[in-house]
Amino acid sequence: MTFKAPVKDMLFALQHLARLDEINRIPGFEDANLETAQAVLEECARLNEEVIAPLNWEGDKNPSWWRDGQVFTTPGFKEAFRQYAEGGWQGLQHPAEFGGQGLPKAIGAMCTEILNAANLSFALCPLLTDGAIEALLTAGSEEQKATYIPPMIEGRWTGTMNLTEPQAGSDLSLVRARAEPQPDGTYRIFGTKIFITYGEHDMADNIVHLVLARVTGAPQGVKGISLFIVPKFLVNPDGSLGARNDVHCVSIEHKLGIKASPTCVLQYGDHGGAVGYLVGEENRGLEYMFIMMNAARYAVGLQGIALSERAYQKAVQYARERIQSRPVDGSVAGAAPIIHHPDVRRMLMTMRALTEGCRAMAAVAAAAYDAAHHHPDEATRRQNQAFYEFMVPLVKGYSTEISHEVTSLGVQVHGGMGFIEETGAAQHYRDAKILTIYEGTTAIQANDLVGRKTARDGGAVALAVAAQVAATEQALASSGSEAAQAVRVRLQAARAAYEEVVRFIAAQAKADPVAAYAGSVPYLMLAGNLMAGWQMARALLAAEQELAAGRDEAFMRAKIATARFYAEHILPRALAQRDAIVHGAGSLKAMALEAF
Amino acid sequence: MTFKAPVKDMLFALQHLARLDEINRIPGFEDANLETAQAVLEECARLNEEVIAPLNWEGDKNPSWWRDGQVFTTPGFKEAFRQYAEGGWQGLQHPAEFGGQGLPKAIGAMCTEILNAANLSFALCPLLTDGAIEALLTAGSEEQKATYIPPMIEGRWTGTMNLTEPQAGSDLSLVRARAEPQPDGTYRIFGTKIFITYGEHDMADNIVHLVLARVTGAPQGVKGISLFIVPKFLVNPDGSLGARNDVHCVSIEHKLGIKASPTCVLQYGDHGGAVGYLVGEENRGLEYMFIMMNAARYAVGLQGIALSERAYQKAVQYARERIQSRPVDGSVAGAAPIIHHPDVRRMLMTMRALTEGCRAMAAVAAAAYDAAHHHPDEATRRQNQAFYEFMVPLVKGYSTEISHEVTSLGVQVHGGMGFIEETGAAQHYRDAKILTIYEGTTAIQANDLVGRKTARDGGAVALAVAAQVAATEQALASSGSEAAQAVRVRLQAARAAYEEVVRFIAAQAKADPVAAYAGSVPYLMLAGNLMAGWQMARALLAAEQELAAGRDEAFMRAKIATARFYAEHILPRALAQRDAIVHGAGSLKAMALEAF
């Protein structure tokens, strides 16, 4: 059950792919150099390896439980959360003026991955709190920021996102929770919210619920939804806690995975109405929530990478220990550790290549976020913002779908033992299943990719990214090594498939929306695959240079082999996806709905 | 939680793909016509829909449990098993002389699928009993057959397969259980067996354990393993039960899925030695066990199809009921049932096409088995035997890997509700995970495909099958319809990829075994994909003929759309697999084992 944070690979991604040196030159990030990153990641690794990771399996065995409106978390979680808060980890990426450390997202993302790999169920509490902080930073009043953000950064309070209702999941236009304006400027909130992560728990003194609801008389649909702060305990002017608010956890769900993370049904206003405070303006709630959701979507992508990394490490360990059968090449005389068998190596390499590829993609996206938000030059900010926004559905959608594949292979490497819960491999497989669902299913990510990120600009950003891929192909051609050559061929083929699909999607989105959207998830998977494969190609070039400079030979050789494996085994999937997207809509439409 | 057996699609597969009319002409199968098949399947459907399927979720909630060496199954299982036995279902495919009904495997396979779709955990008991019956039919003495087979066919006793030990999973050469010869011709068995499905339970009066063990002084490795009958209760000459034998269940496993099916640790000989009876000759145990295992492997393939079917039905039902968002094509004014959304339809079509494709493949393989065992002409028998043996690793490996994809999509269609255990979609996803592991992992199936089924004859059988695929391409060309044309193009491309891979594997198996075996699972997936896609192409041709004859228009149109969907969305995966197999071994070998 051990876990070791992949600090070395993270630093490689920060240095060579995310170009931390460039982020470091942005005003405000003067301290964010490679040495800082290393120190932060190593400290983060220590806490997570020693304190938080050992609670992961415990949380699966002894999930959080509900009694009379209270939720009790797994033994050990409360104390671990205290250590997490005291270490200042909740404020890592948040502004110094509210008690945060103001580090770039590129570094913060790596810490988020480590935390989620250590313990996904635990990590969900800080993750939702991050979302609440970001929403208030964007849309809250100065008073709201001053009241709610510092206690959340200190880890004394936590935050939640309250969107879903029984009839309103992906479709938030169906939200029914209502808000009645009061003479004192506050609102009374009524309604039921479901699937609220850490909606109730015992790890903090207060919980700051951010709630979507309709003000009396508001328009129907998404344009009538407002955002409210509804604290579990009302807050006195001096910041101390006042009366218990009228929001109560009436049950928690019995789930496939992330069992230690309480998934709550919250009932608002059954005893006269919960006191709520409007955030920003009325009827702009969805807009604010999307800010929060975009941050959360990126973070869920990191969760996919985190589970993949954890599953990979576990599988490697088992493959080194389990002795079974003689290798086909006769390299060992008798029964050998199964890592000697070609298919076990293929599975491990697939897990490794997918994990490193997704991590590289996420690192580059985070760097774009930092430049988009902090670079002094406006054109640079705009360009990076467009790139980041294009990448969010890919980081979320691709990395989480991939985590299914990787955690499934993780079970498979363990053979029969993988099916036994005590082994622990199955937990990662179960936990991963939520990642393609919450914060917008893969189809919702793919709708975003097709609609807002591709069709709206006629594919301009998507094709500009392809041009960057082509530039990497040029660099691979210049390298001249056999590995670079092999990668170039596959990268070029995948890029050509991607460009064909982008043009198809851009052309069809209006002309034949069923055809375009029928290909939306395959397009997302193709694009994610290409982006990850592209970053692995850049990693190969960087590793070749490092190798030439005599640095860290074993690591660089492994990176080159992994990049080549990605190109040869994963990138060709793009060809199959291209065919399905471009030629496949007809058979979808031919099926009568009644015939299913 | 309802389930409806897909009798219509099964009859279509039997009539048009498995060619039941040809089986019907084989001496001994004179009664096995389409009318018989329909009557049997409908009766089978009734029992499973009404009695056995409703216990599936119950078994997940209230799994079998152990106390003091006894195992108690889920409430309702015992009574359901009695009904199953009284209906004569255990003897469906077994010889009439032992109380069976002697039906062809083609029909029996459909019943097995229905039973497994209704309740996989329940179905495992009859499945293992079938295996024990087949092993005794092949290698047992006349006395052993007379003693043990009729009570198993009557469902009074059940059977088990005892292969695995803690150190001996895929590698049976490491089996340590030992057998000491006694003066009376019996043996005393000692040792520990793990992962024994229904190794102990309360549904039958006796359990017939078939156990692999080494006779004192036997050679090391697989050539020193013998097969023994070890009944839970010794059997008196009159068939009544005698003394309790020295085999005891010391614990059962806590598993990811199939929770109602007890997975036992059996301890042999702790109280002086379990009485065992040699089956066949000493040291030929593995050979006999493989007979049983081949039947079991095919049946596990059916389990994959069964779970896929069940997951598909559940997903369709939810997609018709769940209302969320307006369709992109504006076909519905407001929020619509999610089946109107293109990506939901893509998911459902993927599930449907994969399920029907695998079922079609399994039906054709079963027909080959029937001809191989019962056809009067020896050349026909030999040819069908070669085809069947080629298909077993594909039916097992491909259909089960596909069941992961289909059951995962099943959860995904349900969105957040899919992650809640009470919804039931997650159970299929958890249950499916064992299918790629037990009765030989996918890698073990792929080793069989590469070694015994491809390399040994230089790819002759594999390429002969490709020639049959090419003949179907000709028929598609003759059809002239747009759908047939679309399918032909994809089928041809996939076949070309397959042929390239077969030649690569046949050439490399000795020259560069790591390269050949590194591609073994991708080769299995490619071959399975082609076989299923080929049968779907044949299904399209048959459906076009039926349509022309004015029969069953809605069903036939759906079949044509599904076959075309398979060709356009699934068959192109072959291209990606071909690339990975033919070009991908280098990066696998480049990775140093220490670098993982």
Side-chain angles (χ1 to χ4, degrees), chain A residues 495-566:
Chain A
R495 174 179 55 85
Y498 167 82
E499 289 174 348
E500 189 179 342
V501 167
V502 167
R503 294 200 177 92
F504 173 84
I505 295 281
Q508 297 301 321
K510 283 212 170 136
D512 186 352
V514 172
Y517 285 90
S520 62
V521 169
Y523 168 38
L524 182 149
M525 295 302 289
L526 193 172
N529 184 0
L530 179 67
M531 295 300 117
W534 169 35
Q535 296 310 324
M536 289 303 282
R538 291 185 60 219
L540 176 141
L541 290 167
E544 286 189 343
Q545 286 184 352
E546 293 293 292
L547 205 53
R551 281 191 284 270
D552 217 346
E553 184 175 335
F555 179 87
M556 298 305 161
R557 287 204 187 284
K559 182 60 82 179
I560 292 167
T562 307
R564 183 171 173 180
F565 186 93
Y566 194 106

Side-chain angles (χ1 to χ4, degrees), chain A residues 283-322:
Chain A
N283 299 334
R284 292 182 60 189
L286 213 61
E287 186 186 317
Y288 307 142
M289 197 57 107
F290 261 103
I291 294 161
M292 183 159 155
M293 207 139 60
N294 263 326
R297 284 177 174 182
Y298 176 86
V300 173
L302 296 177
Q303 295 185 322
I305 302 165
L307 283 186
S308 295
E309 173 68 33
R310 186 87 190 251
Y312 168 73
Q313 290 190 17
K314 192 166 179 54
V316 169
Q317 191 182 333
Y318 186 79
R320 287 195 199 290
E321 289 167 4
R322 173 70 170 169

Side-chain angles (χ1 to χ4, degrees), chain A residues 169 171 324-325 412 436 569 584, chain B residues 169 171 320 324-325 412 436 569 584:
Chain A
D171 184 359
Q324 205 79 172
S325 300
Q412 192 71 18
T436 58
H569 291 253
Chain B
D171 185 359
R320 287 196 199 290
Q324 205 78 173
S325 301
Q412 191 71 20
T436 58
H569 291 254

Side-chain angles (χ1 to χ4, degrees), chain B residues 3 11 37 194 197 208 235 240 278 314 316 462-463 470 517 519 575:
Chain B
F3 162 66
L11 290 172
I194 64 168
T197 300
V208 183
V235 181
S240 65
L278 182 69
K314 191 166 180 56
V316 168
L463 293 173
Y517 285 90
L575 310 180

